Amino acid sequence: MDLARSFQDATKYYREKLPEARCAAACVAPYKRYDEHLPRIALPRPESLPKASFWETVAHRRSVRRYIPAELSGMSLCLLLWASQGITRPGNVPLRASPSAGALFPIETYVVVNRVAGVAPGLYHWQLPDERLVLLRADCDLGEQVAIACLDQDMCRSAACSFLWTAVFERTLRKYGDRGLRYVYLDAGHVGHALQLAAAALGLGSCCIGALFDDEVNRLLGIDGVHESIVYAASVGSAREPSGGL
Ligand SMILES: Cc1cc2nc3c(=O)[nH]c(=O)nc-3n(C[C@H](O)[C@H](O)[C@H](O)COP(=O)(O)O)c2cc1C
């Protein structure tokens, strides 16, 4: 409880000493960009949005940890990425499918592909605003490596793909100071939930993952774990058995 208490205290707003509003400096890049020479994939986009009922989707969302070895369509992956982190209102301050404190969007999305039609197995970064998958590592064994790094959770082996969400802390802390740390993790939660609802709406199963060895996942992603670190993950695939709901 000591850490919980000191975290709450260190990140509280106190009426008598509200921090000065800081500007969300332009010097922190809003999007992470990898080398322009790396291979890029544009996923097929649906002509219209799926017609799933919101209420049915909420009722049927369940964490699914066992998947059949079916391939995910490229369009489904496109929709999952878009529904969790896609730009839904372009403009000077582009806004996204999930809310973010100060519209600063500290969360980056990486995808480990095991079985997605038209996308070779490997590790990809989802590049915004262009909505391209940038191939960071072609490797058929990554599902296994992610499973091991996620406390040997088998779902990452059998999933069609796994989402790995990192935070670039400075994007949010630059404006909000230590309080921003709360916002970063709240932002990540929104993204995870949006992914789960999108998966349910597409008739897919998914499960959010918080149990992971941070350093191992960071190493796998090639990030330093300080300026950018893994904060959350999820597996997605076709459920082995129907999930609950109402
Ligand atoms: C922050 C967070 C972390 C989680 N981490 C894991 C995990 O590492 N492994 C797992 O199997 N489920 C994980 N879950 C899923 C929960 O176990 C699941 O949401 C809970 O049992 C309720 O079931 P439901 O999602 O089907 O409603 C996590 C959920 C959240 C919100």
Side-chain angles (χ1 to χ4, degrees), residues 52-143:
S53 141
F54 174 76
W55 305 108
E56 288 285 326
T57 300
V58 171
H60 290 111
R61 182 211 62 82
R62 204 73 297 139
S63 293
V64 172
R65 301 173 180 83
R66 286 156 52 86
Y67 305 106
I68 56 170
E71 208 177 43
L72 192 74
S73 72
M75 207 174 281
S76 292
L77 179 56
C78 177
L79 283 164
L80 293 169
L81 287 162
W82 177 81
S84 52
Q85 280 267 68
I87 296 174
T88 47
R89 200 196 73 182
N92 269 352
V93 182
L95 298 176
R96 308 228 197 143
S98 292
S100 169
L104 294 169
F105 303 102
I107 307 300
E108 292 285 330
T109 304
Y110 298 81
V111 186
V112 169
V113 170
N114 288 340
R115 289 180 316 276
V116 177
V119 185
L123 170 66
Y124 295 82
H125 172 247
W126 197 45
Q127 172 74 70
L128 287 170
D130 1 3
E131 299 189 350
R132 294 284 184 279
L133 281 178
V134 180
L135 177 62
L136 303 181
R137 232 170 98 193
D139 188 339
C140 291
D141 189 47
L142 273 169

